[in-house]
Amino acid sequence: GELASLLRQGEEWLMDRVLGYARERGYTKYTSVLREAWRMSIVGLTNALIEAAPGGLLGLEMAPDERFSSGPLEAFAVEEARRHRARGVDLGMFLGLLAYYRQSYMDLLERGEPLSPTADDDARRFVSRFFDRLSTAVSVEWNSAGESAKLEELRRQNLHAQNEKHHLTTVLQALPCAVFLADGQGRLTDLN
């Protein structure tokens, strides 16, 4: 409906907004500087939000005995928790940045054209509850993994990163021309 259309049309704005918050608050020193990575995160969140929309606000409400283990929103939360935990991100850092994603979506709702007299308030409550439920599902998943499982995730991810680094080094050394790589602050990180 109206909310899905607003979110799809606002994806570029959302990406710029959350990236701005991340830069302002220092999260970018731990995240990708590639705009495409930020775009993919917004697309993933927007897709999860739109998938949750048919159930409305009632479909996002939480109960004390809930396990937060089924449904598309929970599947998205579990995947994101596992992916970030495997990269060495801690729960506080993840939830902190997620708060700025939430703020970006709320900012989009406040800056845009009103949806309709009642749809505006409903959309704000829906997006807010979506992020409440997402944060809760992420926290439940994050804490459900035992320490040995977390260490195994880190070990596998470290091995993968080492293999990628060796691959990059091999390619760099094979190039016939000079190549210099720099980080987001312009500091030299690699050369052949």
Side-chain angles (χ1 to χ4, degrees):
E2 289 181 88
L3 178 59
S5 178
L6 175 67
L7 294 176
R8 291 275 187 236
Q9 291 171 5
E11 283 180 350
E12 188 76 21
W13 187 91
L14 282 165
M15 184 190 61
D16 289 338
R17 186 68 162 202
V18 75
L19 185 51
Y21 281 134
R23 282 185 179 127
E24 179 182 301
R25 302 305 309 151
Y27 284 95
T28 51
K29 64 183 173 185
Y30 301 107
T31 61
S32 174
V33 294
L34 300 175
R35 289 179 57 81
E36 191 55 32
W38 290 90
R39 181 183 322 285
M40 288 173 34
S41 69
I42 291 296
V43 168
L45 269 172
T46 296
N47 286 341
L49 237 163
I50 290 170
E51 283 183 40
L57 187 59
L58 190 58
L60 294 176
E61 294 298 351
M62 297 175 274
D65 297 325
E66 204 161 343
R67 297 292 170 244
F68 298 95
S69 58
S70 63
L73 172 58
E74 289 77 9
F76 176 76
V78 165
E79 178 58 30
E80 290 302 303
R82 287 180 181 161
R83 207 166 54 79
H84 286 80
R85 189 176 56 225
R87 284 185 27 234
V89 173
D90 70 32
L91 180 59
M93 185 187 304
F94 184 87
L95 292 176
L97 184 55
L98 188 59
Y100 291 105
Y101 274 90
R102 174 193 206 129
Q103 185 61 54
S104 297
Y105 278 81
M106 298 305 283
D107 292 348
L108 177 67
L109 292 175
E110 290 174 19
R111 86 174 249 291
E113 292 290 319
L115 298 176
S116 67
T118 57
D120 245 4
D121 287 339
D122 291 347
R124 278 197 262 300
R125 280 194 294 276
F126 179 79
V127 169
S128 182
R129 184 64 74 235
F130 170 85
F131 278 96
D132 290 341
R133 188 170 184 89
L134 180 64
S135 297
T136 303
V138 163
S139 297
V140 168
E141 164 57 29
W142 209 287
N143 289 316
S144 71
E147 288 304 310
S148 62
K150 290 176 187 174
L151 288 173
E152 179 58 23
E153 278 181 5
L154 285 171
R155 187 196 67 73
R156 278 194 314 267
Q157 190 65 25
N158 190 26
L159 181 61
H160 178 72
Q162 287 296 328
N163 288 339
E164 290 294 313
K165 182 178 179 188
H166 292 305
H167 180 72
L168 176 63
T169 301
T170 301
V171 170
L172 275 174
Q173 296 306 319
L175 293 172
C177 58
V179 175
F180 300 90
L181 298 178
D183 63 15
Q185 287 74 40
R187 293 181 301 238
L188 186 65
T189 60
D190 211 338
L191 60 106
N192 64 349

